[in-house]
Amino acid sequence: MDRLRGRERELLHASAVLSSTRRSGRTGLLTVEGVAGIGKSALLRAVTDLAREQGFTVGSGGGEESSRVLPLSALLSALRAGPEPVLSQAAFAELGRLYDRQPWLVERLADALAVAASRGPLLVVLDDAQWIDQLSVFALRVLLGRLARQPVCWVLAGRPDPDGPLERVRTAARHVNAVFHLTLGPLDEEAVTLLARDELGADPDPALHALLERAAGHPLLVSSLLAGWRPAAEGPGEPEQPGTSGTPGALPHQLVLAVRRQLDSLPQASVRLLRTGAVLGRRFRLTDVAAVLDEPAAQLIAPLEAAERAGLLEHDGPAVAFRHDLVREAVYEDLPVAARAAVHRDVVSTMLRQGRPAAHLVPHVLGELSPAAPEDTAPAERRRAAGLLRAAATELVPATPAAAAQLLEHALRLLPADSPDRLDVGLEALEAAGAGLQVEAAADIGLALLGEVTTALDAGRVWWRLAGPLRALHRDEELREGVARTLEGLPDDPVGAPVHLRLRAVRALASSRDRDPAAATSSARSVLADAERLGDRDAVEAALLALAESAARQGRHQGALLPAREARVRHGGPARSAEVAALTGLERYEEARSLLAEASEVHRSDVWRTLPEHVWRRSLLELFAGRTDLARAEAEHLLQLGEDFEEFALYRAEAHCVLARVVGTRGDALAGRRHVEAARSGLVPGDVQQHLTLHVVDGRLAEGAGNDTAAVLAFTRALRLRREHGLLGAGPDYDSAPQIVRVALRAGARELAEEAAAGAAGYAERNPGVPGIQGIALHAGALLTGDVDGLAEAVRVLATGPRVPVYSVAAGDLAALLADAERRPEALRAWRRASDALASWGASTVIVDPRALALQDGARRLSREEPHPLDGWDALTAAERRVADHVGRGGTNRSVAAQLGVSPHTVSTHLRAVFAKLGINSRVQLAHVVATRSDDPFPRGGAGSR
């Protein structure tokens, strides 16, 4: 460990992470933090050498100040670096087609890295993490989890920043096997002396020793002094100590002085080269300097050689680079502010002439402005800068809409108050934030714009775009009131007519969640007729969706399906949530699955925005169908999305409610309560349906635990919410109506039982011909009156539909009533049907009438005594076995998803669980496991068993 003086302890930690990764076959993470010039890059080079000695394939790169807005530039700089890059050209080309669909992009990147890791351990090194672009940060956060069971070691280094990229990546390392964090400080005196001996071959003389002491252990200063940098004695008033100033991240004063004095000793042509290069970035091409200076590149050869001899520049492949980024910063900071801005302006002009993408201009556009007060810049220059930032945002919004929104907000701040472009730029910022699912930020931008607009027409434009974010936040009343005020002030002329129409469509949408959805339906029909007459496609779509949501609010699924489907057919794109919800309510599960599968693969840049809601819809669908393994996988995937995409947390409470129901039906009340509490912490204040769902889940868990009093209290709260807010749609209280009736009667709360049964009956009237809805109503009504034959009819009706869970509960309740009526043979047959159905979807007897359990002694007992194994093949669920078998035989995530009728993300979720339970790390190992089991003439557990 003598390869890096003074960093022996740090190298030992790094070696431990590498060894752990190689030995365990699981991910390791090392983060290194320290001020500029403290030796982070030198440590990373030593770690890279160690890794190569241990057989790692290495990819090394990093962030650059000049490219921190370029999507995925930092990570790809590492994965595509070197003669044998970690990421193949074919894999890289496939990623290029997915830049505007982040979840898909990262999944494919994870697959590509898993393939590379199957050939041997990988080391991915990223330096200067403080400048890593947003998409690279997101990808790193996700990849840490996706590749947790792969031999991939990640090493990141950056400057201290409590909210910076390094910290954001580190907080995502929950599933990582080995995690180390190092904070680099100054070298001690012994290390400095040893460095001097290494460089000089002898101890430093007293004069040099005095200079080294004044370097305060700063590695770059020490190496600079040893390499021959011996600045003259400082003049009066200069600080005695050459270390960093008190400001975090400030340049070491001695280094600035040293660089300044070196510049004074160089030819003027070399100084011009260095200063222009410093504005371009740490790495730059000589041709770019020549273009900015407007002179032949050949004239820069001699100045370049002089800068190299001075130790300031070095060759870096086809480019030239400063020896250290601190050297570049010292040259940059030594430029007068006005001169620096002028060079940035020249760079912008040059790049525009060369036709560079606008995103490449962003650092230089910002560099043109006064750093202390951009408003001091002339209005014309500010408008020009805002225009360029706006163009860059247009390029970035498909891949990183959040970054685009930040640029547009910056552009908005630059524009003078009287600029005619302010409203357009603000609306683009609002839409970009919404595209990035930053709905609160989008709402804030829109409301701020409303404070600036001076006409009702402009206010109408804002409300039209603000509708999506406010509805996502369930601020419908605020939306309705604002739209109503604006409609009153709109001019009654041809200019105001289109805005008037769109605001009417927004009002209809906002009113679809009101207590009077019938009025919203009437309003939406009027808007639809006018929109079709005027040919406003967007208003037509809004009106159709308002009709669908109004019908859903009234609990009329067929009425919701038709306009929702028409919206998709007319306007294209992925399935709207309203259509999936309607198909689910109508129990047309295969159609809903088909739409969701199609939506997950549609190649449109806006598809990923619908991903969280579609995952939630899929989890509900599978829960209702009794495919609880799939429901659990989808809900867990939704929670993972919330962790991966910090913006994707809108359905976190819904996911926990699904998981609570899954584990509750399997008798794990404690886990169910944990999910209930997690859901409660994520409730959206204005989302009534969310609160209602949680109360129902709470009641179901309480009943399963035998606490009828708590169950009645929770169910009462749920039905009160439905009554107070006029909710007639497919709430979970209808799904649970029989359970509510049963527990209410047991607890003596007959009014609650009657209300639940009446609600189920009304829901059935509004949805004729749907077996599950009809059967649930019959079930609840029969329990209320003790009608055995009516309950038998409910079981018969439910048997014709796809809802196995409600059928199994009804059959169990029928068994209990038949036993009470002393019709034991029929009761035994009913219990057999109930127990078979319960076993088919992995449910526990806690969800059926306790009186039915006495029948188990006379019929086949539902076996739940044998504990389920935690690892090995027998620990896999039926769904996990199917995925394991298909993938082990060579299937890709996409092909397996198509075969099983699930999403590729679901396959990925199952696959991670398979790896964990089997204790393997790769598809190659899984193929061996599957092949071995195929050779076994007596394999344990068939593909359909649990």
Side-chain angles (χ1 to χ4, degrees):
M1 291 294 176
D2 60 350
R3 65 187 76 208
L4 193 63
R5 295 296 189 190
R7 301 300 188 200
E8 291 79 9
R9 181 184 64 85
E10 289 83 356
L11 276 173
L12 281 172
H13 284 306
S15 180
V17 177
L18 291 170
S19 298
S20 174
T21 300
R22 182 168 50 83
R23 185 173 57 254
S24 68
R26 301 186 67 178
T27 285
L29 173 66
L30 172 66
T31 57
V32 182
E33 191 174 74
V35 298
I38 203 65
K40 299 184 295 295
S41 298
L43 179 64
L44 294 191
R45 287 192 293 271
V47 173
T48 297
D49 292 341
L50 275 175
R52 288 198 172 101
E53 291 175 6
Q54 295 185 19
F56 280 76
T57 298
V58 176
S60 182
E64 290 197 30
E65 188 176 9
S66 60
S67 61
R68 59 178 182 260
V69 298
L70 302 180
L72 215 60
S73 59
L75 187 54
L76 289 181
S77 73
L79 299 180
R80 288 292 297 156
E84 297 182 5
V86 172
L87 195 65
S88 69
Q89 178 60 39
F92 174 69
E94 184 177 12
L95 293 178
R97 297 190 291 270
L98 297 170
Y99 267 60
D100 54 358
R101 290 175 292 280
Q102 296 175 14
W104 288 263
L105 182 149
V106 177
E107 290 288 348
R108 303 287 169 82
L109 181 54
D111 288 344
L113 291 178
V115 170
S118 68
R119 297 190 288 265
L122 305 179
L123 171 68
V124 182
V125 177
L126 286 172
D127 201 357
D128 290 317
Q130 70 275 5
W131 290 324
I132 292 179
D133 61 277
Q134 285 192 20
L135 187 51
S136 290
V137 172
F138 160 70
L140 287 167
R141 287 173 53 87
V142 178
L143 291 172
L144 282 172
R146 295 292 189 273
L147 300 171
R149 301 186 66 84
Q150 304 293 331
V152 183
C153 187
W154 304 88
V155 179
L156 286 75
R159 300 179 189 179
D161 183 353
D163 301 314
L166 192 66
E167 181 62 25
R168 290 185 61 206
V169 172
R170 192 162 58 224
T171 57
R174 290 175 296 279
H175 309 295
V176 174
N177 179 49
V179 180
F180 278 98
H181 176 67
L182 301 175
T183 300
L184 297 188
L187 298 174
D188 58 29
E189 185 177 355
E190 180 183 1
V192 172
T193 301
L194 290 173
L195 280 173
R197 288 175 185 167
D198 292 341
E199 181 70 25
L200 305 174
D203 288 337
D205 59 34
L208 180 56
H209 188 272
L211 283 175
L212 291 173
E213 282 187 336
R214 294 176 62 203
H218 193 285
L220 186 60
L221 283 176
V222 170
S223 62
S224 298
L225 290 169
L226 293 173
W229 288 18
R230 289 180 173 78
E234 295 170 351
E238 299 258 13
E240 288 295 322
Q241 185 66 19
T244 60
S245 72
T247 305
L251 299 182
H253 183 73
Q254 184 75 0
L255 179 62
V256 176
L257 292 176
V259 171
R260 183 179 300 162
R261 288 166 186 171
Q262 278 203 302
L263 291 178
D264 290 342
S265 68
L266 287 173
Q268 191 58 36
S270 295
V271 174
R272 291 175 67 217
L273 166 64
L274 286 162
R275 287 176 168 169
T276 306
V279 170
L280 288 168
R282 184 182 175 188
R283 295 177 71 254
F284 57 90
R285 293 178 181 271
L286 214 58
T287 52
D288 289 337
V289 176
V292 174
L293 296 177
D294 194 21
E295 60 184 58
Q299 291 187 14
L300 299 176
I301 294 175
L304 173 62
E305 290 173 345
E308 288 177 329
R309 285 194 298 272
L312 297 172
L313 295 178
E314 59 188 11
H315 283 284
D316 184 8
V320 177
F322 283 89
R323 189 168 67 89
H324 192 282
D325 201 56
L326 267 183
V327 176
R328 184 202 71 83
E329 290 183 44
V331 175
Y332 185 84
E333 293 294 334
D334 194 50
L335 268 170
V337 172
R340 194 188 308 163
V343 178
H344 276 298
R345 193 173 298 112
D346 289 343
V347 171
V348 169
S349 299
T350 300
M351 288 185 168
L352 286 172
R353 288 197 304 271
Q354 294 172 339
R356 298 275 188 93
H360 290 213
L361 277 63
V362 168
H364 306 292
V365 172
L366 299 177
E368 289 184 55
L369 307 172
S370 169
E375 62 273 12
D376 292 345
T377 307
E381 290 299 317
R382 287 160 57 190
R383 278 192 288 268
R384 174 177 175 270
L388 291 171
L389 293 178
R390 189 178 177 187
T394 301
E395 296 173 357
L396 294 176
V397 73
T400 51
Q406 290 177 3
L407 290 182
L408 287 164
E409 287 187 80
H410 198 135
L412 192 61
R413 289 193 295 271
L414 288 174
L415 287 172
D418 60 350
S419 173
D421 297 333
R422 280 191 63 82
L423 180 57
D424 288 336
V425 173
L427 291 175
E428 289 169 12
L430 188 162
E431 290 184 333
L437 296 181
Q438 296 179 309
V439 290
E440 291 185 356
D444 290 343
I445 293 169
L447 294 174
L449 287 175
L450 286 171
E452 293 185 12
V453 296
T454 57
T455 69
L457 283 172
D458 286 342
R461 294 177 62 197
V462 177
W463 283 115
W464 170 253
R465 289 165 176 80
L466 192 52
L470 288 182
R471 297 197 75 234
L473 295 169
H474 290 268
R475 291 160 62 175
D476 298 272
E477 184 176 355
E478 181 180 358
L479 180 61
R480 283 196 304 273
E481 291 177 355
V483 167
R485 287 194 304 271
T486 304
L487 281 170
E488 291 175 0
L490 278 174
D492 185 16
D493 57 27
V495 175
V499 177
H500 192 279
L501 174 65
R502 290 192 169 195
L503 289 188
R504 287 170 54 209
V506 169
R507 184 171 59 184
L509 268 172
S511 299
S512 65
R513 294 177 181 167
D514 201 0
R515 287 186 56 86
D516 187 9
T521 299
S522 175
S523 174
R525 284 175 178 157
S526 173
V527 172
L528 180 61
D530 290 343
E532 287 179 329
R533 177 171 50 81
L534 295 176
D536 189 329
R537 296 180 71 254
D538 291 335
V540 166
E541 182 179 17
L544 288 170
L545 293 179
L547 284 171
E549 292 193 21
S550 296
R553 181 82 172 197
Q554 297 171 67
R556 303 181 186 279
H557 294 306
Q558 188 63 37
L561 176 62
L562 297 178
R565 174 160 291 175
E566 188 176 354
R568 174 174 58 84
V569 172
R570 283 198 191 194
H571 301 280
R576 277 64 171 172
S577 178
E579 184 177 3
V580 176
L583 287 170
T584 301
L586 292 168
E587 298 174 10
R588 291 159 62 172
Y589 293 160
E590 287 306 318
E591 288 181 64
R593 289 189 186 106
S594 176
L595 278 181
L596 289 167
E598 181 183 347
S600 69
E601 290 296 324
V602 172
H603 293 291
R604 285 169 52 102
S605 62
D606 59 348
V607 168
W608 72 274
R609 305 180 207 177
T610 63
L611 179 61
E613 187 170 11
H614 281 177
V615 174
W616 171 55
R617 289 291 179 193
R618 194 191 302 272
S619 70
L620 278 182
L621 186 159
E622 303 302 358
L623 178 71
F624 294 157
R627 304 206 300 182
T628 50
D629 286 343
L630 290 176
R632 173 187 55 79
E634 294 290 353
E636 289 176 347
H637 175 50
L638 184 52
L639 292 178
Q640 186 65 52
L641 280 173
E643 294 181 7
D644 296 344
F645 290 78
E646 293 160 327
E647 302 88 355
F648 274 29
L650 292 175
Y651 293 91
R652 191 170 291 170
E654 286 86 346
H656 280 295
C657 284
V658 169
L659 290 171
R661 285 188 60 166
V662 169
V663 299
T665 57
R666 295 177 179 179
D668 192 345
L670 183 60
R673 298 246 45 97
R674 286 197 296 266
H675 283 299
V676 164
E677 293 309 313
R680 185 169 285 117
S681 68
L683 290 174
V684 177
D687 192 338
V688 178
Q689 188 69 59
Q690 210 180 51
H691 287 72
L692 188 152
T693 299
L694 185 59
H695 289 319
V696 171
V697 172
D698 210 357
R700 291 174 70 109
L701 288 173
E703 186 204 11
N707 190 341
D708 287 354
T709 301
V712 166
L713 180 61
F715 289 143
T716 299
R717 288 170 175 165
L719 295 194
R720 184 186 303 126
L721 273 180
R722 179 163 68 87
R723 184 171 61 253
E724 290 175 351
H725 292 272
L727 295 173
L728 299 175
D733 51 317
Y734 294 119
D735 175 57
S736 304
Q739 285 92 330
I740 297 175
V741 171
R742 186 173 64 200
V743 72
L745 291 177
R746 266 201 319 260
R750 186 168 184 85
E751 288 185 7
L752 176 65
E754 291 173 347
E755 183 178 3
Y763 186 37
E765 289 178 9
R766 296 189 293 276
N767 294 278
V770 183
I773 296 175
Q774 300 301 313
I776 287 170
L778 289 170
H779 183 182
L783 287 178
L784 184 67
T785 60
D787 182 358
V788 178
D789 294 334
L791 188 49
E793 175 64 9
V795 172
R796 186 195 67 76
V797 171
L798 288 169
T800 65
R803 300 192 66 169
V804 178
V806 294
Y807 166 78
S808 64
V809 173
D813 285 348
L814 176 61
L817 287 187
L818 287 168
D820 277 357
E822 299 183 354
R823 295 161 61 176
R824 187 171 178 80
E826 295 172 81
L828 289 173
R829 287 195 295 273
W831 174 248
R832 288 192 184 96
R833 291 196 297 269
S835 61
D836 287 345
L838 288 167
S840 72
W841 61 284
S844 165
T845 53
V846 299
I847 67 170
V848 300
D849 191 316
R851 293 173 298 174
L853 300 184
L855 296 165
Q856 290 188 122
D857 294 330
R860 185 166 56 256
R861 180 179 290 273
L862 185 62
S863 177
R864 302 290 293 175
E865 289 80 8
E866 184 177 346
H868 197 59
L870 299 178
D871 52 37
W873 186 267
D874 292 330
L876 302 183
T877 66
E880 289 165 355
R881 284 196 186 113
R882 288 191 290 270
V883 169
D885 186 65
H886 284 290
V887 173
R889 298 176 191 279
T892 65
N893 285 13
R894 278 176 288 175
S895 67
V896 174
Q899 288 175 293
L900 299 183
V902 298
S903 74
H905 294 289
T906 303
V907 173
S908 178
T909 300
H910 282 319
L911 200 54
R912 288 194 292 276
V914 168
F915 282 3
K917 292 178 180 179
L918 297 183
I920 59 178
N921 301 321
S922 70
R923 292 169 182 259
V924 174
Q925 291 173 301
L926 179 58
H928 176 71
V929 171
V930 171
T932 301
R933 292 189 58 78
S934 298
D935 294 339
D936 184 353
F938 303 106
R940 292 185 61 194
S945 65
R946 290 195 76 255

